[in-house]
Amino acid sequence: MNFLNETSDGGSASKQEPPSLIVGRDEANHWVVVEAHGLCGGIFGTEAAAMRYACEESRGRAGAVRVARHLVALDLASPPRRRALGQS
């Protein structure tokens, strides 16, 4: 089983930059949106609702919303993963 919880490029988001979001399905087949650093996300009833949320959260930034090819896990129990500035 594959879970996608962070970006594959290893980059860090600046505080000024809108979040990068991943849209996909979880193990229960719900539509899920996860921010690349675990800062926000949600579970949605339809793909359209998930995409609308992701586009709004990313403020329409080109390339900020990606669709996962694997299962997506939304972890509400763990604190967000943050990187120090300058770390990759």
Side-chain angles (χ1 to χ4, degrees):
M1 181 176 348
N2 292 317
F3 292 93
L4 184 59
N5 277 331
E6 56 189 313
T7 60
S8 60
D9 62 5
S12 60
S14 81
K15 291 181 182 181
Q16 307 294 335
E17 187 176 299
S20 293
L21 297 127
I22 300 162
V23 177
R25 298 260 192 170
D26 66 6
E27 287 183 314
N29 211 29
H30 299 114
W31 284 100
V32 177
V33 178
V34 178
E35 196 273 336
H37 299 97
L39 300 176
C40 65
I43 299 172
F44 300 87
T46 65
E47 179 182 16
M51 291 299 290
R52 185 170 41 254
Y53 170 80
C55 289
E56 288 174 8
E57 285 296 311
S58 68
R59 297 184 219 138
R61 186 169 47 96
V65 177
R66 291 176 276 172
V67 177
R69 291 179 278 152
H70 304 287
L71 292 176
V72 176
L74 177 61
D75 186 0
L76 300 174
S78 298
R81 294 180 309 275
R82 296 184 186 203
R83 293 185 176 138
L85 291 176
Q87 288 185 346
S88 56

